[in-house]
Amino acid sequence: MAEPLKLQESWRAPLADQLASPQMSALKAFLLAERAAGKTIFPRGSEWFRALDLTPLDQVRVVILGQDPYHGPGQAHGLAFSVRPGVRVPPSLVNIYKELQTDLGIAPARHGFLEHWARQGVLLLNTCLTVEQGRAGSHQGHGWEGFTDAVIRLVAARAPSCVFLLWGNHAQKKAGFVDGNRHLLLKAPHPSPLSAYSGFFGCRHFSRSSDWLVSHGMPPIDWALPPA
């Protein structure tokens, strides 16, 4: 596991107790054992905390919650829903782009690289930060969930006001403790092709997020992605 010192400065001290917990020690042992067994883990170790590195705690304005990293070669790089440049845009992200176009008239990007969002204060956080190649959900229940709960609690406690985009039951349960009187909680079905037509399409979360940020004295998110 990456050492705490490699974590972005604004997160390092607030998460120090969590990183030093027995739960995280057990997670480290699990990951080391998986590597020793010759298993391929995504993303690479330097990108496990990429979402936190790109979006400092004091800059978080929007939180988008995912589940696992993508488990195919070359896809995951530490941001929920995002893939590396040159990688085919995954189906859920295709549907996110469709809703973005309907909502704000932004043409779908030809890539799935979402760092532009992350650098503006959109925390693209997965529940688990690692996965074994080809085995979705393989690292669930080994300790990442407690760590990412701690991240969400920090944002909920420290940010004066923040937008949580909660797509699907998993994300909605994950952020179930966030104060909806202080923060804006926008809920919709997951953008997966299996559920997008059940209410994700037409949710207008992108414009609603930006309108709410502006009403609270913050600049809107530029959701249009530049070429990768």
Side-chain angles (χ1 to χ4, degrees), residues 1-175:
M1 181 182 299
E3 294 297 325
L5 287 177
K6 293 184 179 180
L7 192 58
Q8 199 274 340
E9 180 68 27
S10 68
W11 299 100
R12 189 192 313 163
L15 290 171
D17 289 345
Q18 181 67 33
L19 288 164
S21 68
Q23 183 182 51
M24 292 299 283
S25 295
L27 172 61
K28 179 178 180 179
F30 165 74
L31 293 170
L32 289 173
E34 291 290 280
R35 283 181 165 172
K39 297 179 181 180
T40 299
I41 296 173
F42 296 136
R44 58 193 178 200
S46 62
E47 294 176 327
W48 292 352
F49 300 122
R50 186 65 172 162
L52 304 182
D53 291 338
L54 287 178
T55 312
L57 175 57
D58 59 357
Q59 295 179 22
V60 177
R61 294 185 286 152
V62 177
V63 178
I64 297 178
L65 297 178
Q67 296 188 43
D68 289 349
Y70 296 115
H71 54 82
Q75 293 180 303
H77 65 106
L79 303 181
F81 292 102
S82 182
V83 292
R84 296 179 185 281
V87 175
R88 183 178 179 181
V89 180
S92 292
L93 187 52
V94 168
N95 287 337
I96 290 171
Y97 288 169
K98 288 180 180 177
E99 174 59 22
L100 186 57
Q101 184 171 31
T102 300
D103 188 6
L104 292 175
I106 296 172
R110 296 185 178 183
H111 62 83
F113 192 58
L114 304 182
E115 283 199 359
H116 178 64
W117 294 357
R119 293 182 186 279
Q120 297 178 73
V122 180
L123 181 63
L124 296 165
L125 183 69
N126 280 317
T127 295
C128 290
L129 302 189
T130 58
V131 70
E132 181 186 341
Q133 178 176 332
R135 294 189 61 222
S138 53
H139 288 185
Q140 292 178 7
H142 289 281
W144 279 128
E145 292 88 348
F147 176 78
T148 51
D149 279 351
V151 170
I152 296 169
R153 290 185 188 279
L154 262 181
V155 172
R158 298 284 186 92
S161 50
C162 186
V163 182
F164 288 80
L165 302 186
L166 306 176
W167 299 334
N169 290 332
H170 179 88
Q172 290 162 23
K173 291 177 181 178
K174 180 75 172 173

